[in-house]
């Protein structure tokens, strides 16, 4: 008999380990998109577009687990949940959108669940324990080799891009002025 903690930890592990810099980068992109969509705007279509962006990012990081049939079912559920929020956003349409997003992502990215009881347990774990995965993954920053590799993946293109822009500006008198 396995312990509850090991069962929960096994269920919330990603199928394919994604790099921390990519996760942080897309989290920043999602934050910028949310700022652009929600700041000073009426929430309605903005929430729908943000839900679509969140679903796309989740599918991007879980593409190893995707099955075409399950992805199509998840997409249909997501589209059905988006319709009430597009029409008029209220508390009920927000709850429908939130549940449709969670169920669609669960169906599309969790191929191990086959029965209704397993899906309900996985959805419960997704909602209750999913936000705490951040703390487990934040500890991976102390893995020095992964941290330096991620730092090099971000700094090298930025440094070389800066050198290119400086050389381009120096070679072009119009841009230099």
């Amino acid at each position: 008999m396995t312990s509850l903690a090991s069962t929960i930890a096994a269920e919330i592990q990603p199928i394919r380990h994604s790099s921390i810099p990519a996760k942080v980068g897309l989290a920043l992109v999602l934050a910028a998109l949310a700022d652009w969509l929600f700041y000073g705007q009426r929430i309605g279509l903005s929430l729908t577009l943000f839900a679509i962006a969140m679903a796309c990012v989740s599918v991007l990081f879980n593409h190893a687990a995707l099955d075409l049939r399950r992805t199509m079912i998840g997409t249909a559920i997501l589209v059905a949940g988006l319709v009430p929020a597009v029409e008029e956003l209220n508390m009920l349409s927000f709850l429908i959108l939130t549940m449709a997003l969670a169920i669609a992502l669960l169906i599309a990215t969790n191929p191990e669940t086959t029965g209704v009881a397993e899906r309900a347990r996985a959805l419960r774990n997704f909602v209750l324990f999913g936000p705490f995965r951040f703390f487990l993954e934040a500890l991976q920053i102390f893995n020095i080799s992964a941290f330096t590799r991620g730092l090099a993946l971000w700094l090298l293109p930025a440094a070389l891009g800066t050198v290119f822009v400086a050389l381009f500006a120096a070679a072009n008198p119009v841009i230099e002025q």
Side-chain angles (χ1 to χ4, degrees), residues 20-21 24 134-148:
I20 297 292
V24 170
F134 168 77
F135 300 111
L136 293 174
E137 292 178 359
L139 293 176
Q140 291 178 359
I141 199 166
F142 297 114
N143 182 356
I144 299 300
S145 65
F147 179 70
T148 55

Side-chain angles (χ1 to χ4, degrees), residues 10 18 22-23 27 31 35 49 69 80 82 99 113 117 137 152 170:
S18 299
K23 287 180 181 179
D35 184 48
L49 293 174
R69 182 178 154 272
L82 290 174
M99 287 307 296
T113 57
E137 292 178 359

Side-chain angles (χ1 to χ4, degrees), residues 101-169:
L101 182 63
I103 291 170
L105 291 178
L106 175 73
I107 288 174
T109 62
N110 199 353
E112 290 87 26
T113 57
T114 55
V116 175
E118 288 179 358
R119 288 182 181 155
R121 186 176 63 246
L123 182 63
R124 179 202 65 202
N125 291 340
F126 179 68
V127 172
L128 293 178
F129 302 120
F132 299 109
R133 284 179 56 184
F134 168 77
F135 300 111
L136 293 174
E137 292 178 359
L139 293 176
Q140 291 178 359
I141 199 166
F142 297 114
N143 182 356
I144 299 300
S145 65
F147 179 70
T148 55
R149 185 179 63 242
L151 197 60
L153 286 174
W154 281 90
L155 282 180
L156 188 65
L160 292 177
T162 304
V163 168
F164 172 75
V165 168
L167 289 174
F168 187 75

Side-chain angles (χ1 to χ4, degrees), residues 12-82:
I12 62 173
Q13 293 297 322
I15 289 177
R16 185 185 60 86
H17 176 69
S18 299
S19 67
I20 297 292
K23 287 180 181 179
V24 170
L26 277 177
L28 291 174
V29 168
L30 280 176
L33 179 67
D35 184 48
W36 181 68
L37 287 174
F38 297 127
Y39 185 72
Q41 307 292 329
R42 288 191 61 211
I43 298 176
L45 186 60
S46 299
L47 183 65
T48 305
L49 293 174
F50 188 69
I52 292 170
M54 282 182 32
C56 290
V57 167
S58 179
V59 166
L60 176 70
F61 277 117
N62 292 304
H63 67 83
L66 292 182
D67 176 31
L68 183 62
R69 182 178 154 272
R70 293 174 70 90
T71 304
M72 290 305 210
I73 292 171
T75 303
I77 290 172
L78 181 63
V79 168
L82 290 174

